[in-house]
Amino acid sequence: MIVLALETSCDETAVAILRNSELLATEVASQIAEHEKFGGVVPEVASRNHLVHAPRLLERAAKAAKIEMADIDAFAATSGPGLASSLMIGASVAKGLAIGFDKPYLAINHLEGHLLSPFFGSDTGILPVSIDKHSLEGCATIEPNVSLVVSGGHTMSIFVRGVGDYQVIGRTVDDAAGEAFDKVAKMLGLGYPGGPEIEKVARQGDPTRFDLPRSMLDSDNFSFSGLKTAVRYLLPKIGVVSTGDAAGKMPAIQFRDDSVISDLCASFQQAVVDVLVRKTIAAAQKCSVDLVTVSGGVSCNGALRRQLRQACDGAGFEFKSAEPWLCTDNAAMIAFAASLRWQAGFESKVAEEIDPNLALA
Ligand code: KG4
Ligand code: ZN
């Protein structure tokens, strides 16, 4: 069985081809450079870039996989949640191919792609030398788990009973964790996306120096806007904030010494990690599962991976994280989810519309 998937929910155009348990091709065209100057994703720019990149990536993926489009058994695409004008491109291409080659179409929820990704490939945590050959052998069984999905658009804890059987336990009531990283990085004059930039600077920092809030600790839900505001109010007290220039460039900030910015990044990162770890463990205890998983862009963060693994060890849970290359948006996770859904008997109608607010459950 060969599945081709497209992922265009936000600012990455991605195509992947999966044959049974073998990933034949995975192509991602990042648009970071196009959006960086705006400090965030501009939907109109993103959809225009998807239109340019998608046909090239399809051709490249087929070439890398050494197959013809006619050999594909099913076409899949992310159908939500995400930016409407971006989702439309990938879904239209997949539907067109499905109709043209008279093959099934599978509409995949982006969050399902993330939450199943820890089951893709090995869970050794070792980055493969080449991402061309991932074996899914023995990994396609989805054990019940509590899944933390943390990305730029979402922060959710989910009780996963099996493929297609999900119950949302908690979600953010305001900013997503990745969004908080991105906004704080912007305030600090660091680059976009902010998560990796903050993590880099935080490595030299003292996470206990600044006492930042951990919000809504008694709730299943998450909130990160108070933390972001706390950083904003702290800035004038510890640094000099300029407003940036009219071209929308990042504000330039001067600190009295370098340790201030690294301590601030480390303290901010620790506040986010504390909340994510604590609530995930509480959700796992509530759902009586044996396994905790983490996925999504923010799960690239080393401090989060380390501390969540330690907390799981301490509380007696098994822990699985998506491999780092699978954490940020990609089409391999969509192809994997499509393949599992197909095996479980799901199929979509080509008339099915994309849904920017597509619910998981
Ligand atoms: O999953 P993803 O690629 O896109 C969405 O579905 O949103 O996640 C992107 C997010 C961005 O907010 C980015 O800042 C964050 O993931 N991110 C990180 C790290 N790498 C990416 N956040 C914290 N630490 C990282 N190392
Ligand atoms: Zn994502």
Side-chain angles (χ1 to χ4, degrees):
M1 186 185 93
I2 306 180
V3 176
L4 182 145
L6 288 111
E7 153 62 41
T8 61
S9 65
C10 190
D11 62 338
E12 317 279 8
T13 319
V15 174
I17 301 175
L18 185 66
R19 179 172 58 203
N20 300 324
S21 57
E22 200 183 350
L23 184 62
L24 300 179
T26 176
E27 303 281 341
V28 183
S30 170
Q31 299 181 16
I32 286 177
E34 278 93 337
H35 299 281
E36 196 171 20
K37 49 185 172 288
F38 304 108
V41 177
V42 182
E44 173 64 22
V45 174
S47 65
R48 264 191 276 156
N49 275 296
H50 289 314
L51 260 183
V52 173
H53 292 312
R56 291 182 193 160
L57 292 191
L58 277 173
E59 204 173 305
R60 247 180 28 211
K63 213 167 171 185
K66 299 190 182 65
I67 55 157
E68 302 290 328
M69 282 295 154
D71 300 333
I72 310 273
D73 296 307
F75 294 92
T78 305
S79 66
L83 300 169
S85 51
S86 287
L87 288 165
M88 213 129 65
I89 311 288
S92 304
V93 171
K95 286 177 187 180
L97 288 167
I99 294 168
F101 289 101
D102 196 19
K103 295 287 167 62
Y105 166 66
L106 289 125
I108 302 297
N109 186 305
H110 181 80
L111 297 168
E112 185 175 28
H114 276 306
L115 74 84
L116 292 174
S117 63
F119 294 92
F120 188 100
S122 79
D123 62 348
T124 55
I126 298 165
L127 253 183
V129 180
S130 150
I131 56 168
D132 287 347
K133 274 205 182 290
H134 277 281
S135 171
L136 310 186
E137 234 73 79
C139 291
T141 322
I142 307 301
E143 306 136 56
N145 65 90
V146 158
S147 165
L148 173 69
V149 178
V150 260
S151 70
H154 302 276
T155 299
M156 275 183 176
S157 57
I158 301 145
F159 180 16
V160 177
R161 294 192 187 87
V163 176
D165 189 355
Y166 312 121
Q167 182 188 338
V168 176
I169 307 295
R171 51 161 43 99
T172 180
V173 297
D174 41 53
D175 292 346
E179 194 180 352
F181 269 99
D182 295 338
K183 287 177 176 171
V184 167
K186 194 170 176 181
M187 278 183 227
L188 299 179
L190 300 173
Y192 167 84
E197 298 293 322
I198 289 190
E199 181 174 19
K200 222 185 305 164
V201 178
R203 272 189 207 119
Q204 283 78 44
D206 171 6
T208 63
R209 173 149 173 204
F210 298 108
D211 185 20
L212 294 168
R214 277 77 169 149
S215 302
M216 292 176 63
L217 283 183
D218 296 329
S219 163
D220 288 335
N221 288 329
F222 302 83
S223 165
F224 294 104
S225 79
L227 171 60
K228 175 193 66 188
T229 308
V231 173
R232 188 186 301 279
Y233 285 138
L234 188 61
L235 285 181
K237 297 180 193 153
I238 59 173
V240 183
V241 185
S242 92
T243 51
D245 63 22
K249 287 224 176 90
M250 309 273 183
I253 297 192
Q254 283 152 11
F255 289 94
R256 280 190 286 274
D257 61 81
D258 279 352
S259 73
V260 175
I261 186 159
S262 46
D263 291 348
L264 181 57
C265 285
S267 302
F268 165 77
Q269 178 175 274
Q270 191 54 46
V272 175
V273 170
D274 274 352
V275 171
L276 293 176
V277 169
R278 192 164 155 165
K279 284 173 184 279
T280 307
I281 297 293
Q285 282 162 343
K286 188 169 159 175
C287 298
S288 303
V289 291
D290 296 325
L291 173 67
V292 168
T293 65
V294 67
S295 59
V298 180
S299 71
C300 289
N301 187 282
L304 173 62
R305 293 168 87 87
R306 215 170 28 252
Q307 293 182 42
L308 191 51
R309 182 178 288 281
Q310 276 166 4
C312 285
D313 286 349
F317 296 112
E318 196 196 329
F319 176 70
K320 253 190 217 302
S321 52
E323 291 186 37
W325 70 272
L326 262 176
C327 290
T328 48
D329 288 348
N330 64 85
M333 68 181 191
I334 303 301
F336 181 54
S339 150
L340 291 176
R341 280 188 84 82
W342 201 17
Q343 285 169 43
F346 293 98
E347 198 183 308
S348 314
K349 293 191 170 54
V350 281
E352 196 171 304
E353 298 282 1
I354 54 112
D355 181 352
N357 301 310
L358 187 63
L360 185 64

